[in-house]
Amino acid sequence: MKIRIAHSPDSDDAFMFYGLASGKVPSHGFELEHVLSDIETLNLAALEGRYEITAVSFNAYAHLTDRYILLPHGASMGDRYGPVVVARKDGPTSLEGVRVGVPGEMTTAFLTLRLYDPGVKYVVMPFDEIQEAVHAGEIAAGLLIHEGQVTYEEEGLRKIVDLGEWWADRTGGLPLPLGGNVIRRDLGPAAIATLSRLLHDSIAFGLEHRDEAVGYAMQFGRGLDKARTDRFVGMYVNGLTLDYGDRGREAVHRLLGDAQKAGLLPKPVMVEFAG
């Protein structure tokens, strides 16, 4: 059976899938094809059910529960860190009257920004163009995801708010769930169970063979050296990635519940995990 696994071309996702992509974790008869695309494109593709397994933002997952189920591993969570709103050093210190460049309306970063500031003004931009747009003065502030979270200071930008810190303070220390892996329900219980184990084993392989997995992930790091790639990978591939646990699952329920109560989601979300 051919299975397409769609994920972002980023160092943390590359690290997660290194075991499978390298063939060091056996595929147990499945023909696996890795499809790489930015997270907002994957969110929109998931609305159509395009891929059998895909990374999605939790904001998008709220609209996908009829077709996809969450895998119990593969989550990216920020534990007192997360997407960060930045400005130039001579720029604004708050979001009042400010237009923010955001990486997509289906991203969890954008959902969390709207929880933080329901009236925020924004413009959608490719995630990898936001920093430069802030530098150039095209936008007063930008919402950074991926590697921008670890490079913005050395590039001369200043933090307005780290949404992961804000979320932890709001929730008594819960991590901020940003994205997860989902699998199509129509594959059936047996295939879902086997594929779930494969993805778990790939994450575990990377964590157990960190140096070689980070070396592989560097090619997706958009210029990060090995030390900074390792730092970024460690932020988003860790124990919560291997298994949500009670704390991670509570965080997902809290995020989607708060968003629904705030009118940012159309209806309550029934969170369901495979296995």
Side-chain angles (χ1 to χ4, degrees):
M1 181 187 297
K2 183 175 181 177
I3 298 293
R4 292 165 297 177
I5 302 175
H7 55 86
S8 301
D10 305 304
S11 52
D12 54 333
D13 276 14
F15 182 95
M16 281 189 226
F17 290 104
Y18 170 64
L20 287 172
S22 65
K24 296 185 177 182
V25 171
S27 63
H28 292 286
F30 289 101
E31 180 187 350
L32 304 180
E33 177 188 348
H34 293 262
V35 179
L36 276 60
S37 193
D38 70 275
I39 192 62
E40 186 71 342
T41 299
L42 295 182
N43 288 335
L44 298 175
L47 294 175
E48 304 171 1
R50 188 177 305 165
Y51 303 117
E52 288 79 15
I53 298 172
T54 184
V56 295
S57 302
F58 280 105
N59 188 15
Y61 167 73
H63 304 273
L64 302 170
T65 55
D66 60 331
R67 186 170 280 166
Y68 287 95
I69 188 169
L70 273 170
L71 291 168
H73 39 258
S76 295
M77 298 197 186
D79 211 347
R80 287 203 67 85
Y81 50 80
V84 57
V85 182
V86 301
R88 295 195 312 193
K89 290 186 177 180
D90 60 352
T93 58
S94 76
L95 298 187
E96 185 175 354
V98 170
R99 187 177 64 150
V100 181
V102 303
E105 292 178 312
M106 295 297 288
T107 63
T108 310
F110 178 65
L111 181 71
T112 311
L113 178 65
R114 293 181 73 199
L115 282 172
Y116 173 77
D117 183 352
V120 64
K121 299 178 179 64
Y122 67 94
V123 58
V124 176
M125 307 178 67
F127 79 91
D128 54 356
E129 296 179 9
I130 291 176
Q131 273 164 287
E132 184 55 40
V134 174
H135 276 295
E138 296 169 13
I139 49 176
L143 177 59
L144 302 186
I145 59 174
H146 301 317
E147 291 83 359
Q149 296 169 63
V150 301
T151 63
Y152 72 88
E153 287 182 296
E154 64 192 60
E155 293 174 8
L157 299 177
R158 177 180 43 79
K159 176 178 73 175
I160 295 178
V161 60
D162 183 317
L163 294 173
E165 291 178 354
W166 171 80
W167 175 255
D169 291 340
R170 171 190 174 98
T171 62
L174 287 177
L176 176 60
L178 296 166
N181 290 326
V182 296
I183 188 167
R184 261 196 352 228
R185 294 176 181 272
D186 63 4
L187 294 175
I192 288 173
T194 301
L195 289 163
S196 178
R197 173 52 57 181
L198 292 184
L199 268 66
H200 172 276
D201 291 350
S202 186
I203 297 164
F205 185 89
L207 291 170
E208 292 164 4
H209 301 82
R210 187 178 190 91
D211 188 66
E212 64 179 273
V214 168
Y216 169 79
M218 280 182 65
Q219 65 185 298
F220 302 95
R222 283 181 284 275
L224 294 186
D225 59 22
K226 191 167 186 178
R228 290 186 299 172
T229 300
D230 187 72
R231 176 188 166 198
F232 179 72
V233 165
M235 290 169 66
Y236 291 111
V237 189
N238 47 49
L240 286 168
T241 310
L242 201 57
D243 188 294
Y244 283 67
D246 292 341
R247 184 166 171 255
R249 294 186 184 216
E250 181 185 353
V252 174
H253 284 281
R254 175 66 184 271
L255 174 68
L256 298 178
D258 282 8
Q260 193 272 327
K261 290 174 186 175
L264 301 177
L265 296 174
K267 60 183 180 180
V269 181
M270 181 66 69
V271 179
E272 187 178 357
F273 289 88

